[in-house]
Amino acid sequence: MALRLSDPLDHLAATFRRFAERECRGSSPLYEALALTTADDAELRSIAGAAPAGQPVPNLFFAAVHYLLLAGPGDRLAEFYPSLTPSPRPPDEAFPSFRAFCFDRRPAIESLLRTGRVQTNEVGRCAYLYPTFALVAEWSRRPLVIIELGASAGLNLMWDQYRYEYEGDASCGPSDATVVIRSAFRGDRRPRLPERAPAVVGRVGVDLVPIDVRDEDQTSWLRALVWPEHRERAALLASALALAQRTPPRVVRGDALACLPDLLREARRDAAVCVTHTHTLNQMTEGRRAALTAVLSEASRDLPLYRLSAEWLTGIHPLVELTSWAGANVTTRRLAFSDPHGRWIEWLGDRTAARPFE
């Protein structure tokens, strides 16, 4: 008989355990330990339950605590956070301090849970965007227009301004770039990695609550979303923010489904239009996901359209897919599995893959 979880707090217990075992293990010992102990603590889960529906609760809950610690690291709990001390205490000893901090700062945490969103602007994911956008440019023989859904601060819209170093393989992108993304390929297959990025003639993002790259409080929230052990991710975020602050990318405030038709109509018809989203669909209902597909299918009648998605709805690892339309024909290709933060890529496609519908 299947286990039925009737109480919302019971659902949260399962959610925290899944987060610990599926996402944190091997990546964040601190969050793994805290998630497992929070799963067994109904009072703590009652605080986490202030998060709105549709948000990944463990990510949001731990980000709220991290945000408060970054703003005032004097609490004893900071001693366990590698982001706040060079010599953190053992993660398996953190829970008593964590629990005490959460109850001491409960009103502030619940306020952040109600108003904040998990909108991690993971620049490392550009490691698989680069070869995928290059593939679209090769197939279409056109410059690119990029429309990103759930763009946060829009840092991944600037993917062509970054340098890429793939361990044991090629380096590409501007040699003088101030943002350098390092990744590695697993397995035997490799994509084409042109030395220069394809031409981009338009770029825009859409987000319910865009992050202003020049607002210190908003960028501090982005920093809090980075897990405490991930110092390289934090440094990469800081360098991308510094670049974006010179010329902030355009990110439209609004609902993706409401804004997308207008953004598609604005796109240049002589370009290949790439609608991209990474780790976004988990915050959408099934109905909204279907509506998004319908919007794209309708728009594909009038312009060369591609959909680049990197999502982790099922399976062991996130999956990178590329969908293209030609009249009534639709092709979706599984291009790669990846680390959630882009640290490694297992390319599935053939380096000499034919253009769609050839």
Side-chain angles (χ1 to χ4, degrees):
M1 179 182 294
L3 178 64
R4 296 185 64 186
L5 302 176
S6 56
D7 190 308
L9 293 185
D10 291 336
H11 283 280
L12 274 185
T15 298
F16 274 96
R17 289 191 190 96
R18 184 168 58 251
F19 177 73
E21 296 164 0
R22 185 186 188 205
E23 300 187 40
C24 299
R25 188 155 296 167
S27 183
S28 176
L30 178 61
Y31 279 3
E32 180 183 0
L34 293 178
L36 288 173
T37 45
T38 299
D40 293 330
D41 191 310
E43 290 182 293
L44 268 187
R45 296 198 312 273
S46 71
I47 298 177
Q55 285 294 297
V57 177
N59 306 68
L60 189 60
F61 181 47
F62 292 138
V65 172
H66 197 194
Y67 174 85
L68 294 173
L69 285 174
L70 288 167
D75 191 273
R76 185 179 180 183
L77 178 60
E79 298 174 7
F80 296 91
Y81 277 65
S83 53
L84 293 165
T85 176
S87 302
R89 296 177 60 187
D92 58 0
E93 299 175 7
F95 185 68
S97 296
F98 178 79
R99 192 176 194 276
F101 182 87
C102 288
F103 283 103
D104 182 56
R105 304 297 300 275
R106 180 169 188 160
I109 292 172
E110 290 182 337
S111 176
L112 286 167
L113 290 174
R114 294 188 185 102
T115 59
R117 293 180 179 275
V118 176
Q119 47 190 161
T120 310
N121 212 153
E122 186 52 63
V123 183
R125 292 171 185 159
C126 291
Y128 53 72
L129 296 182
Y130 187 96
T132 307
F133 286 139
L135 189 61
V136 171
E138 179 185 353
W139 282 349
S140 65
R141 302 190 181 104
R142 295 169 181 252
L144 305 180
V145 167
I146 312 297
I147 301 174
E148 184 182 10
L149 311 182
S152 185
L155 302 182
N156 290 1
L157 289 168
M158 303 170 62
W159 63 276
D160 55 325
Q161 300 173 46
Y162 303 153
R163 179 76 175 167
Y164 297 85
E165 296 181 356
Y166 297 95
E167 182 180 343
D169 288 284
S171 296
C172 43
S175 59
D176 60 349
T178 57
V179 179
V180 180
I181 294 172
R182 294 177 175 87
S183 186
F185 286 104
R186 291 183 173 181
D188 299 327
R189 296 187 176 184
R190 299 290 184 273
R192 294 178 189 250
L193 294 169
E195 184 176 348
R196 297 180 60 181
V200 178
V201 295
R203 67 187 90 214
V204 62
V206 58
D207 199 285
L208 280 171
V209 187
I211 296 290
D212 182 347
V213 296
R214 292 176 171 169
D215 184 295
E216 184 177 355
D217 184 64
Q218 293 184 35
T219 57
S220 294
W221 176 249
L222 280 186
R223 174 65 186 86
L225 287 163
V226 177
W227 297 359
E229 294 91 345
H230 295 183
R231 294 187 177 102
E232 289 186 6
R233 288 178 60 207
L236 183 60
L237 173 64
S239 64
L241 283 169
L243 178 63
Q245 285 162 1
R246 300 178 195 171
T247 306
R250 180 189 173 207
V251 181
V252 175
R253 179 183 296 271
D255 176 83
L257 290 179
C259 296
L260 186 56
D262 287 339
L263 296 177
L264 289 167
R265 280 190 288 270
E266 291 175 9
R268 284 175 47 167
R269 267 35 189 178
D270 63 342
V273 179
C274 299
V275 175
T276 180
H277 50 86
T278 62
H279 297 252
T280 300
L281 295 187
N282 62 310
Q283 299 186 42
M284 286 180 141
T285 65
E286 289 285 352
R288 288 177 59 78
R289 294 175 198 170
L292 173 59
T293 299
V295 168
L296 294 173
S297 297
E298 177 67 23
S300 70
R301 300 177 184 179
D302 300 320
L303 78 169
L305 186 63
Y306 297 82
R307 177 182 188 175
L308 194 173
S309 65
E311 299 292 349
W312 197 7
L313 301 178
T314 60
I316 299 174
H317 301 298
L319 176 64
V320 181
E321 295 183 303
L322 182 62
T323 300
S324 52
W325 287 262
N329 296 316
V330 184
T331 296
T332 297
R333 295 177 184 249
R334 290 159 43 106
L335 293 185
F337 293 116
S338 76
D339 170 77
H341 307 124
R343 293 178 300 176
W344 58 261
I345 305 162
E346 182 182 349
W347 195 256
L348 304 175
D350 189 336
R351 179 190 291 264
T352 57
R355 296 169 66 203
F357 316 117
E358 286 190 339

